């Protein structure tokens, strides 16, 4: 499996779990995401974007990263272009670091939807801020390694059917969930979390490293 970490412009904190997830991966930065390279102690092999939000005072090793420059007026975001560059280089697994938060809610939504689309096309995808993780849910059953008490939600991108959740404070058994329902928001892990989905499109959002204010 060829893992690429894509450094995006959203919020990111460094945790031991995140260090393990990006260890040994190849790295591509999307525009302002280059700032996270300094945080994580990484040097990308490629820096993609229109470079309209380059952080100030970059160290020499990051400023010298090879660039792939695009015009500001384009039909893809810098993040999507960075993902495309990783796929061209043979990526089979993507860690989208900095996929949440930041100044652009539209970009955060795009990353969630893009992650789901990539997973459906056969790419293993993890979206992370270090504190929160998003994992696309494909049809069938999947298990997760989160500790007891970890807060999680299931975000539906459509109506869901055949949804079963075990290893949770509030288990579900073969339920239907209307699009826009809050039924699957704010659950907690109790034992081994497993989620089965029979129909629909959804993403697991977990909080393995809750911030103090949350």
């Amino acid at each position: 499996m060829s893992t690429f970490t894509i450094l995006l412009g959203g919020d990111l904190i460094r945790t031991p779990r995140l260090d393990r997830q990006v260890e040994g991966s190849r790295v591509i930065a999307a525009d302002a995401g280059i700032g996270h390279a300094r945080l994580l102690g990484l040097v990308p092999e490629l820096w993609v974007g229109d470079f309209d939000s380059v952080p100030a005072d970059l160290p020499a090793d990051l400023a010298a990263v090879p660039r792939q420059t695009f015009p500001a007026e384009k039909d893809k975001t810098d993040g999507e272009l960075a993902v495309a560059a990783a796929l061209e280089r043979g990526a089979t697994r993507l860690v989208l670091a900095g996929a949440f938060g930041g100044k652009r809610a539209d970009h955060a939504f795009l990353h969630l939807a893009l992650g789901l689309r990539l997973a459906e096309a056969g790419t293993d995808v993890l979206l992370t801020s270090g504190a929160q993780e998003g994992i696309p849910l494909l049809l069938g059953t999947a298990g997760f390694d989160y500790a007891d008490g970890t807060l999680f939600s299931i975000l539906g991108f459509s109506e869901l059917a055949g949804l079963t959740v075990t290893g949770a404070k509030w288990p579900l058994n073969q339920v239907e969930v209307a699009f826009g329902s809050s039924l699957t928001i704010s659950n907690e892990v109790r034992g081994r979390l497993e989620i089965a989905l029979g129909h629909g499109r959804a993403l697991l959002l977990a909080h393995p490293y809750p911030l103090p204010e949350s």
Side-chain angles (χ1 to χ4, degrees):
M1 180 174 290
S2 179
T3 300
F4 278 71
T5 296
I6 308 298
L7 301 178
L8 301 168
D11 298 336
L12 193 71
I13 64 169
R14 186 173 183 175
T15 67
R17 182 180 178 93
L18 178 58
D19 283 344
R20 292 192 298 272
Q21 290 166 339
V22 304
E23 184 178 7
S25 67
R26 297 169 65 179
V27 182
I28 295 177
D31 208 342
I34 194 75
H36 297 322
R38 180 164 41 186
L39 171 70
L40 299 175
L42 302 172
V43 178
E45 64 183 66
L46 182 66
W47 189 5
V48 173
D50 52 29
F51 304 104
D52 63 352
S53 51
V54 175
D57 302 321
L58 282 179
D61 59 343
L62 296 182
V65 169
R67 302 188 185 196
Q68 192 173 72
T69 304
F70 293 86
E73 295 184 358
K74 54 188 183 301
D75 57 6
K76 291 185 178 180
T77 65
D78 296 329
E80 190 172 7
L81 291 168
V83 166
L87 295 175
E88 288 172 0
R89 286 161 171 75
T92 56
R93 180 174 184 268
L94 295 172
V95 178
L96 305 183
F100 310 122
K103 299 177 181 179
R104 297 290 301 270
D106 49 354
H107 283 202
F109 172 79
L110 169 69
H111 298 149
L112 295 173
L114 176 60
L116 184 56
R117 176 164 64 85
L118 290 166
E120 291 175 342
T123 302
D124 187 1
V125 179
L126 170 70
L127 303 95
T128 180
S129 69
Q132 301 180 85
E133 294 180 358
I135 302 175
L137 297 172
L138 302 179
L139 301 185
T141 302
F144 305 91
D145 67 346
Y146 296 116
D148 276 7
T150 300
L151 179 69
F152 74 91
S153 298
I154 296 172
L155 307 181
F157 285 73
S158 70
E159 294 181 353
L160 307 179
L163 178 65
T164 296
V165 179
T166 58
K169 183 176 181 179
W170 292 288
L172 299 172
N173 183 28
Q174 290 288 319
V175 300
E176 295 184 1
V177 183
F179 177 59
S181 169
S182 62
L183 175 67
T184 56
I185 301 297
S186 295
N187 206 336
E188 292 182 17
V189 175
R190 291 288 186 271
R192 167 73 171 175
L193 176 64
E194 290 193 352
I195 300 173
L197 181 62
H199 177 78
R201 312 176 86 178
L203 183 141
L204 170 67
L205 184 65
H207 302 256
Y209 193 90
L211 299 174
E213 63 269 23
S214 64

